[in-house]
Amino acid sequence: MQKENARYEFLLNISTNALLETDLTGRILHMNAAAEYFLAPDASGSNLAAWFNKQSPDILSKIEKAIRLKLPQNLQLTTKGRSCSLYFYGHGRNCYICIEDITERRQLAVSLERTSQRLDFAERTAHIGYWELDFKYKKIYWSSEMFRIFGVSTAVSSPKRNLIRERILKEDLPVYKEKLRELLHTGHPVEGKIRIRKLNGGLRCCYFKAGIIEDENRRKIAGTFQDLTSLIKTQTALEKAKELAENLNRGKSLFLAQASHDLRQPMQALTMFISALAEEKLTRRQKMLLDKIEASSENLKSLLDNLLDLSKMEANTENGDFQEFNIADLLKKICCEYQEICRTKNINFRCIRHNAVIFSDTVILERLLRNLINNAVKYTKNKIILGCKRYKGYLRIMIIDNGIGISAEEQELIFDEFYQSKKIKNNRSQGSGLGLAIVRKSAEILGVSVKLNSTPGQGSCFWFDIPVLRSLPKTK
């Protein structure tokens, strides 16, 4: 018997739980080493309730019930910043009490609950639900968002009920099954799009992913369902709005193209009338007025020409007539014309040509170059260079001027339609702001990218690279 008591005494002292015995009043009669450590080495003889401050009445009530009713009692409370579970067992006139420190367990539970809340929030925000299928026990786990996506409550579901297969549209079920067979056969993750019908009849479009995971040596399929219904509706609405805007823009461009074309005839007549009037004997004042009319007429003609060119490109009526040709011929034609124009304006125009066969549209390329040169003529001080040089497998074409230059913040804006810098005095009288917009549109059709290097006060260099099919010998 003495050995048996020593054995029990040993077991009590090595227990990590605080074990103690009290009488009906709560006075501590005996306690093990863990209880001494948890309360105090000299706690024996004191009242247990005194160690738990405000919870004292609850402890005394539990002790009394455990002794008188012979029914186990339990209580959770805190002391010294620790969370505890107390278990009360009546034995004769005394009560045996086990105090279990659950501080870490409770902290872990709180942390897990917070993590669960965050995950639930993330799922609800992203409309992504998570599910698992346990092969061994044939059970299915669903997250809260899965129930929301499928429009069902946990009350109508069971761990063995496969609501995914039940609610997928019949047309999409073969796709889903085939993906799962692929997953089981290859072990590689799968994904796809399916439609599901909610219990209330609503239809949802979902994107699913699935893969195989190992959990405690058990093989499981885990996957996600993302509700794309709202996204698809928004995307559809945006596509319709884009299509409507493109149709309206195309209609506008067609209208402008037609209007510009119709206005060219009276413009040609106006030009003829101005030329006829210039041959008459005019007074100095009449000659001055005629010069102003002629200048306005030229500006109007330039605007109509630009509008017609831009409208054709925006209406997609120009796709480019690409063919092989020697760019030197085109450059020679342009240089001869602009050398004469620049001579009358006291501008030194220099042309550096290159014999190279390219594959492009001569009309659109000529329009692009003319608009860049016209822009240089407007803003240069006294020099313009139209130059070419070989760059790897390309021919780099450059238009350089020593004009006022373009600030960094304006270098992207100048290619917008009707944009005219406010930093240049009387800039609106220089043109319509369509020349560089035509350059951008022309470059898109030709498949080239027009670049710009410019320093305010020193000048600008517009350039682009065009593929060379083959070089030709230099001509004299």
Side-chain angles (χ1 to χ4, degrees):
M1 186 68 179
Q2 191 173 7
K3 288 184 179 180
E4 191 72 17
N5 288 337
R7 183 180 175 187
Y8 287 139
E9 186 71 24
F10 172 75
L11 291 173
L12 289 173
N13 282 327
I14 66 170
S15 173
T16 57
N17 290 333
L19 303 173
L20 48 87
E21 180 185 1
T22 70
D23 59 17
L24 183 63
T25 64
R27 184 170 62 89
I28 300 174
L29 303 177
H30 301 285
M31 58 182 182
N32 68 351
E36 291 179 357
Y37 177 80
F38 185 78
L39 297 177
D42 58 349
S44 183
S46 63
N47 195 296
L48 177 63
W51 295 94
F52 292 92
N53 300 324
K54 296 181 180 179
Q55 289 88 11
S56 298
D58 296 330
I59 293 176
L60 296 176
S61 173
K62 295 294 182 180
I63 292 174
E64 184 179 0
K65 288 181 180 179
I67 295 174
R68 294 189 186 281
L69 301 178
K70 304 300 181 184
L71 293 175
Q73 306 289 315
N74 63 77
L75 183 65
Q76 285 192 357
L77 39 78
T78 58
T79 181
K80 299 179 181 179
R82 308 295 293 179
S83 299
C84 307
S85 285
L86 278 69
Y87 304 93
F88 303 83
Y89 304 92
H91 182 71
R93 294 182 179 181
N94 295 335
C95 181
Y96 290 98
I97 302 171
C98 173
I99 304 176
E100 183 182 10
D101 188 344
I102 61 170
T103 306
E104 285 75 19
R105 190 191 310 170
R106 174 168 285 185
Q107 289 173 347
L108 179 60
V110 171
S111 178
L112 288 173
E113 177 62 24
R114 288 175 179 170
T115 300
S116 177
Q117 290 174 355
R118 291 189 181 103
L119 287 174
D120 186 62
F121 172 76
E123 284 191 346
R124 283 187 285 109
T125 303
H127 303 293
I128 297 178
Y130 176 80
W131 61 273
E132 283 184 10
L133 171 61
D134 191 318
F135 286 107
K136 184 176 181 180
Y137 297 105
K138 305 298 182 185
K139 290 184 178 180
I140 297 176
Y141 162 79
W142 273 22
S143 70
S144 300
E145 186 61 19
M146 283 292 290
F147 289 100
R148 282 191 285 267
I149 290 173
F150 279 71
V152 298
S153 65
T154 55
V156 301
S157 181
S158 72
K160 294 183 178 294
R161 185 178 177 186
N162 194 336
L163 280 170
I164 296 177
R165 291 195 178 187
E166 288 181 21
R167 306 314 304 172
I168 291 179
L169 263 62
K170 291 183 179 180
E171 301 92 319
D172 296 349
L173 184 56
V175 176
Y176 181 71
K177 286 184 175 180
E178 179 60 31
K179 288 291 184 180
L180 291 186
R181 280 195 291 268
E182 180 186 339
L183 171 63
L184 295 174
H185 178 68
T186 65
H188 300 306
V190 294
E191 56 189 53
K193 290 182 181 179
I194 58 172
R195 293 164 295 171
I196 59 174
R197 192 167 299 280
K198 297 168 62 178
L199 289 181
N200 63 6
L203 191 67
R204 288 190 184 274
C205 298
C206 295
Y207 182 75
F208 73 88
K209 290 185 177 181
I212 295 176
I213 62 173
E214 295 288 337
D215 184 14
E216 296 179 353
N217 297 322
R218 294 211 306 272
R219 201 160 173 252
K220 297 180 179 180
I221 292 181
T224 58
F225 267 72
Q226 184 176 13
D227 184 4
L228 301 176
T229 310
S230 299
L231 182 63
I232 289 175
K233 287 181 179 178
T234 303
Q235 185 177 358
T236 302
L238 287 173
E239 287 175 353
K240 288 182 178 179
K242 180 184 177 184
E243 183 180 358
L244 177 61
E246 287 176 347
N247 289 336
L248 290 173
N249 187 60
R250 194 175 294 110
K252 175 210 72 175
S253 299
L254 288 171
F255 169 77
L256 285 174
Q258 185 63 40
S260 300
H261 184 270
D262 293 342
L263 287 172
R264 273 188 166 178
Q265 290 183 348
M267 277 304 307
Q268 291 173 351
L270 179 59
T271 302
M272 292 174 61
F273 293 146
I274 292 173
S275 298
L277 189 58
E279 295 177 359
E280 299 293 327
K281 292 183 179 180
L282 303 174
T283 64
R284 182 179 296 178
R285 176 172 173 76
Q286 289 172 335
K287 182 68 171 63
M288 180 189 67
L289 291 174
L290 182 61
D291 289 342
K292 290 184 178 180
I293 293 172
E294 186 175 10
S296 298
S297 173
E298 288 178 358
N299 285 336
L300 182 56
K301 183 179 181 300
S302 175
L303 175 60
L304 288 174
D305 288 342
N306 286 337
L307 278 174
L308 180 58
D309 291 341
L310 193 60
S311 300
K312 282 181 179 179
M313 289 184 283
E314 288 186 341
N316 294 324
T317 57
E318 280 193 341
N319 297 316
D321 181 15
F322 288 77
Q323 56 187 329
E324 294 184 15
F325 63 93
N326 184 359
I327 194 171
D329 298 332
L330 174 61
L331 294 176
K332 182 179 180 181
K333 171 186 172 183
I334 294 174
C335 288
C336 289
E337 180 180 335
Y338 277 95
Q339 280 175 342
E340 182 61 26
I341 293 173
C342 291
R343 186 185 62 80
T344 62
K345 296 178 179 290
N346 295 320
I347 298 172
N348 181 15
F349 183 86
R350 185 182 173 197
C351 184
I352 304 173
R353 301 196 300 271
H354 194 96
N355 278 309
V357 176
I358 64 171
F359 185 73
S360 188
D361 183 301
T362 56
V363 175
I364 298 177
L365 180 58
E366 181 178 352
R367 180 194 300 153
L368 185 154
L369 290 170
R370 285 182 178 278
N371 276 283
L372 286 176
I373 298 171
N374 287 337
N375 187 73
V377 170
K378 290 178 187 177
Y379 300 112
T380 189
K381 293 176 184 175
N382 53 21
K383 291 181 182 180
I384 296 176
I385 299 175
L386 170 58
C388 301
K389 70 175 183 178
R390 284 296 300 271
Y391 179 75
K392 297 181 179 179
Y394 295 85
L395 185 68
R396 177 162 292 180
I397 303 175
M398 299 170 287
I399 293 87
I400 306 169
D401 67 71
N402 66 340
I404 58 176
I406 303 165
S407 62
E409 60 269 21
E410 286 191 304
Q411 289 185 17
E412 288 295 329
L413 299 174
I414 59 171
F415 291 96
D416 293 342
E417 296 173 17
F418 301 105
Y419 180 80
Q420 292 178 307
S421 176
K422 296 179 180 178
K423 298 179 180 181
I424 304 173
K425 293 181 179 180
N426 302 320
N427 194 30
R428 293 195 175 275
S429 63
Q430 299 273 14
S432 59
L434 289 175
L436 292 180
I438 292 173
V439 167
R440 178 171 57 85
K441 293 287 185 181
S442 300
E444 289 174 1
I445 297 174
L446 297 177
V448 300
S449 178
V450 177
K451 306 293 180 61
L452 167 63
N453 291 325
S454 184
T455 303
Q458 297 183 22
S460 303
C461 175
F462 290 86
W463 56 272
F464 60 91
D465 295 332
I466 194 162
V468 174
L469 296 181
R470 60 184 181 276
S471 296
L472 297 174
K474 292 183 179 180
T475 56
K476 294 182 180 180

